Amino acid sequence: MSDHHHHPKDHMVFDDSKAEEYVKEQIVQSNAEHVVSCVKRYLKPGSDILDFGCGPGVAARKLAALSEVKSVLGADVSDGMLGQFEKLKGASKQEKEEVKAKLTSLKTSPNPVEELKPHVGTKDMVIISYVIGHLHPREAGYDVVKKVAACLKPGGHFILAEFKGGVPFHGEHGDGHEHNHGHEHNHGHEHNHGHEQGHGHGHGHGKGHGHGHEHAHDGHEVYHEDQLHDLLAQAGVTNTKTEMEYQFTMWKVDVDCIVISGVKQVC
């Protein structure tokens, strides 16, 4: 796929004025905890990590506090989110200076070709959390996953978190936030924490599972579990498996989430 034909649409851009209140939403903390719990399974001493679509850096800061982590690069298209990333990094008195020193932010475009070039083949782990469903057209999601996967060293791990089967609610229930590259701007509380399923169950799915290209009510691209595995496979990520499935409740509606891992092919 050429980069020229699959630029994500402009409506991905986040309303930067909402960034500060977004940080306070409980679901942001809960999703970060789930992702970090999966990352911990594959960390090795001296790990360099790319958190693509890092938002305000909630997961990145949790990762930087781990002794095995050498550095965390948080990349995002939103100036407001990156502003919160830097503000929170500097404001926390609880975080040690050596933890703060591990954190770096990077502003990217929606089609991050040039910005990620210096990082190709340099990361032990990459993370994309709740980004892919917000990328339109669908091919743009595949392109971004490939570019992020290219940052992995051979044998490095890819962690992908996404809504499973779309977001089952209508846009009129929202709080006025523009839907962005994976940041869920809605208020709710999470339950069923840590219900892990499918450990070690490898997937070898090919393209075309009969689901078709679906859109949720709010315009999200809908991905089913096998399609997410296929997304990683097309980016050269092998040995994919479902690490965790969980739910959170938003406006009395259960939203299903899934975290998948895989390994960059060793050439």
Side-chain angles (χ1 to χ4, degrees):
M1 300 176 191
S2 72
D3 297 326
H4 177 73
H5 294 295
H6 301 305
H7 285 252
K9 291 183 180 178
D10 291 339
H11 68 255
M12 282 174 51
V13 177
F14 179 69
D15 181 355
D16 287 334
S17 67
K18 306 293 185 181
E20 187 169 359
E21 62 186 77
Y22 173 74
V23 175
K24 302 173 185 177
E25 295 183 11
Q26 180 58 41
I27 191 61
V28 177
Q29 301 290 333
S30 298
N31 282 338
E33 289 170 4
H34 282 92
V35 170
V36 170
S37 71
C38 292
V39 169
K40 286 180 178 179
R41 299 168 188 170
Y42 302 104
L43 281 179
K44 297 179 181 179
S47 290
D48 292 307
I49 299 174
L50 168 63
D51 184 2
F52 186 84
C54 65
V58 175
R61 289 166 61 215
K62 292 179 183 294
L63 290 169
L66 301 175
S67 60
E68 299 92 339
V69 174
K70 179 182 177 183
S71 69
V72 183
L73 176 63
D76 207 287
V77 302
S78 166
D79 289 320
M81 286 295 187
L82 293 177
Q84 289 299 308
F85 184 107
E86 293 296 334
K87 178 181 177 181
L88 293 173
K89 182 177 75 170
S92 175
K93 295 180 180 179
Q94 288 76 30
E95 287 180 344
K96 297 179 180 179
E97 289 303 317
E98 55 263 36
V99 173
K100 296 178 184 179
K102 296 179 183 180
L103 292 163
T104 307
S105 61
L106 174 68
K107 173 67 184 292
T108 70
S109 62
N111 191 39
V113 180
E114 296 301 322
E115 300 94 329
L116 292 183
K117 273 185 179 178
H119 306 286
V120 170
T122 66
K123 302 302 178 185
D124 299 288
M125 183 172 293
V126 298
I127 303 163
I128 300 183
S129 302
Y130 307 101
V131 172
I132 303 305
H134 295 269
L135 298 178
H136 309 291
R138 195 177 186 88
E139 289 81 1
Y142 281 77
D143 282 348
V144 167
V145 169
K146 287 180 180 179
K147 292 179 178 69
V148 173
C151 295
L152 280 171
K153 299 174 183 176
H157 282 83
F158 199 125
I159 301 293
L160 175 65
E162 190 51 73
F163 300 112
K164 182 181 177 183
V167 184
F169 43 75
H170 293 276
E172 62 266 22
H173 295 297
D175 56 5
H177 296 213
E178 293 182 55
H179 290 284
N180 187 26
H181 50 280
H183 303 303
E184 186 54 54
H185 313 294
N186 305 294
H187 299 282
H189 299 282
E190 188 168 345
H191 62 83
N192 292 343
H193 289 262
H195 289 193
E196 301 180 16
Q197 301 176 9
H199 289 283
H201 293 179
H203 293 259
H205 301 290
K207 295 179 68 176
H209 304 289
H211 298 299
H213 288 184
E214 303 173 47
H215 295 274
H217 296 301
D218 65 350
H220 280 68
E221 292 284 350
V222 175
Y223 289 92
H224 296 277
E225 182 175 359
D226 52 3
Q227 293 172 322
L228 291 169
H229 283 275
D230 181 58
L231 191 68
L232 292 181
Q234 290 196 43
V237 178
T238 62
N239 299 324
T240 62
K241 66 179 180 180
T242 296
E243 295 284 347
M244 176 185 293
E245 297 181 55
Y246 66 95
Q247 288 184 330
F248 64 85
T249 300
M250 187 178 294
W251 306 309
K252 300 181 180 180
V253 176
D254 290 337
V255 180
D256 294 315
C257 302
I258 187 168
V259 184
I260 295 171
S261 70
V263 180
K264 178 69 178 291
Q265 289 178 347
V266 178
C267 299

